[in-house]
Amino acid sequence: MGFEAKRAAALGRNKKSPPILSHEFVIQNHGDIVSCGIMVVMLGFMFGATSHIAQVFIVPQYNDTVTLPDETEPRILYKSGVRDLASLFFYTLVWIAVHCALQEYILDKVQRKLHLSKSRQVKFNESGHFAAFSIYSLIHAGIILHDLAIHKDLTRIWSGYPELHRHFPIYTKLFFIFQISYWLHQLPEFYFQKLKSEEIFNRLGYIIIFITATCFFYFANFVRLGLLLLFLEYFSQALFHTSRLLYFSGKIQPSSTAFKPWNFLFPITRLATIVLAVVSLWYGHRQNEVAFVDLASGNFNTQLIRINSLLVVLLIQLWMLFNFSTFHIARWRERCREQAAHAASGGGKRRGGGGFGAKTKRKGGTAAGGGGMTEEKDK
């Protein structure tokens, strides 16, 4: 039974089950339905007539035994291609099942203990899933970057493109397959979670950005640049969503402590992303620029693609910095208004002779102001 079905059963035992294949039935049992679909694909390995079809969905495609120019021993490496679309479909289903399991066995149990309001439940669930995924992605990308030793030589971001970039180990291919499929699975989750149009609009923007950017890095063979930028982004995201989880769990002081380094890390991440994009796309890849896209060799390093990619990265980072600055300026103004109002209220009390009452009011006002600031941070 899916977590939605269990939740409905807990609310009312006598409530009739929804008709089979109705919207409510699909929403309540989508985890079980998707799991059955995954099992059907995996059962294809058991039969010779269908094993080659199942392999396209499950096993990473386009493997070759390649000897790279800077190596002497041949290795089994992978590259991107059209057949990866089947893998993306399958692993999107897997992420839906993982989403249901994480929701049912961890997040729902924590929510019942915290007694959160409905609006906070939505934010708690969002941060719970994104925190787990960001931490996983941070570790996976960090391992790949360590093996590439990019921290020792930044020129490896662009040197040897496209030959050294279009072939990569299986764990690099799986990283991008998992990334794209994860963000794709967020789209049907809008329907499964019954999100309001406002909540969908708030999430849809960055989901589309992640899908588009990750697909571009993967299929255009800019995998090393993509790995580095995603590593920086997930480092910031992991800290942010972990801080939100602490806040919604009632850990106000730890969450406030965690938000402080994130407020410092966020603009640093934007600036680092801009610098790396400029150094790589404007200076580094310009050395190996070609006039036209060469699909046979996987070379997408044309001036048009390179400059437009750089502009998109810059605009996204500036947009995020603008939203970040606007949010904090609005908070600062709100704090100033609250302090002025409490100061005026305290002055009136003192003129009326209520010294102790005025002191108590000021303390209460400060606590309320702090609570308001913390409340704003979770948005």
Side-chain angles (χ1 to χ4, degrees):
M1 181 184 291
F3 72 92
E4 289 286 351
K6 288 185 176 181
R7 187 179 300 169
L11 292 176
R13 297 282 181 181
N14 298 326
K15 188 176 180 180
K16 292 183 179 180
S17 299
I20 296 178
L21 298 182
S22 64
H23 289 287
E24 193 63 30
F25 177 85
V26 173
I27 291 173
Q28 290 184 8
N29 301 278
H30 71 274
D32 298 329
I33 296 172
V34 169
S35 298
C36 291
I38 294 171
M39 291 301 299
V40 168
V41 176
M42 297 184 69
L43 284 173
F45 278 112
M46 299 179 62
F47 306 98
T50 57
S51 61
H52 64 285
I53 299 176
Q55 287 180 1
V56 176
F57 287 91
I58 301 175
V59 180
Q61 303 296 303
Y62 300 103
N63 58 317
D64 294 315
T65 302
V66 181
T67 302
L68 297 178
D70 58 346
E71 298 179 358
T72 57
E73 296 292 331
R75 290 194 295 161
I76 298 178
L77 299 175
Y78 293 78
K79 58 184 179 180
S80 59
V82 179
R83 290 201 301 271
D84 289 333
L85 297 178
S87 298
L88 291 176
F89 172 76
F90 175 77
Y91 286 104
T92 298
L93 299 181
V94 172
W95 277 119
I96 293 175
V98 172
H99 187 113
C100 291
L102 180 61
Q103 183 71 44
E104 179 177 352
Y105 294 108
I106 298 179
L107 296 180
D108 278 356
K109 292 182 179 180
V110 175
Q111 283 181 21
R112 284 193 288 269
K113 294 181 180 179
L114 297 176
H115 305 289
L116 300 176
S117 64
K118 196 165 186 179
S119 61
R120 288 199 167 195
Q121 283 182 10
V122 174
K123 295 179 180 179
F124 181 87
N125 291 335
E126 179 187 15
S127 287
H129 290 289
F130 285 160
F133 179 72
S134 297
I135 293 172
Y136 147 72
S137 300
L138 182 66
I139 296 173
H140 197 160
I143 293 172
I144 299 173
L145 290 172
H146 181 268
D147 291 344
L148 291 172
I150 290 180
H151 59 286
K152 297 180 181 179
D153 184 7
L154 284 179
T155 60
R156 294 183 181 181
I157 299 175
W158 61 82
S159 62
Y161 182 90
E163 188 60 31
L164 295 180
H165 296 244
R166 68 182 304 215
H167 294 98
F168 33 77
I170 186 172
Y171 53 84
T172 303
K173 184 180 182 71
L174 288 176
F175 174 81
F176 281 96
I177 293 293
F178 291 166
Q179 290 294 314
I180 299 171
S181 57
Y182 176 83
W183 292 108
L184 286 175
H185 108 277
Q186 292 289 339
L187 299 177
E189 285 295 337
F190 293 157
Y191 171 71
F192 296 143
Q193 297 178 31
K194 299 182 180 179
L195 294 181
K196 299 179 181 178
S197 57
E198 180 182 356
E199 295 167 346
I200 293 176
F201 179 78
N202 291 336
R203 298 188 190 185
L204 191 60
Y206 62 80
I207 289 175
I208 292 177
I209 290 175
F210 270 104
I211 292 174
T212 305
T214 312
C215 286
F216 169 75
F217 291 137
Y218 178 63
F219 289 105
N221 297 319
F222 292 99
V223 290
R224 297 186 180 183
L225 176 61
L227 280 167
L228 191 55
L229 297 185
L230 288 173
F231 176 82
L232 294 174
E233 182 61 33
Y234 284 126
F235 189 78
S236 174
Q237 291 289 330
L239 182 58
F240 172 71
H241 288 292
T242 302
S243 303
R244 287 183 82 191
L245 284 176
L246 290 173
Y247 171 72
F248 289 125
S249 301
K251 311 292 184 181
I252 304 300
Q253 188 59 40
S255 67
S256 178
T257 304
F259 271 121
K260 289 177 182 178
W262 178 80
N263 287 329
F264 173 77
L265 180 64
F266 184 86
I268 296 299
T269 302
R270 303 307 123 215
L271 294 176
T273 301
I274 291 174
V275 170
L276 289 171
V278 170
V279 170
S280 176
L281 295 173
W282 182 259
Y283 293 103
H285 281 286
R286 186 171 59 181
Q287 302 171 11
N288 303 320
E289 185 179 289
V290 294
F292 302 99
V293 173
D294 186 358
L295 295 177
S297 62
N299 195 336
F300 293 81
N301 189 21
T302 65
Q303 185 179 24
L304 179 64
I305 293 178
R306 188 169 51 82
I307 298 301
N308 282 281
S309 302
L310 177 59
L311 289 176
V312 170
V313 172
L314 294 179
L315 289 175
I316 291 174
Q317 301 308 309
L318 292 176
W319 172 67
M320 296 175 73
L321 280 173
F322 173 77
N323 290 337
F324 179 81
S325 303
T326 303
F327 169 74
H328 280 281
I329 290 173
R331 279 187 54 225
W332 175 74
R333 289 177 177 174
E334 183 180 351
R335 287 178 60 189
C336 291
R337 286 195 298 267
E338 289 179 353
Q339 290 175 359
H342 288 302
S345 175
K349 289 288 185 180
R350 284 194 297 272
R351 286 192 295 271
F356 179 79
K359 187 175 181 180
T360 306
K361 288 282 187 180
R362 285 196 300 274
K363 287 184 178 180
T366 304
M373 285 170 16
T374 311
E375 179 70 25
E376 284 294 322
K377 286 183 179 180
D378 70 301
K379 294 184 179 179

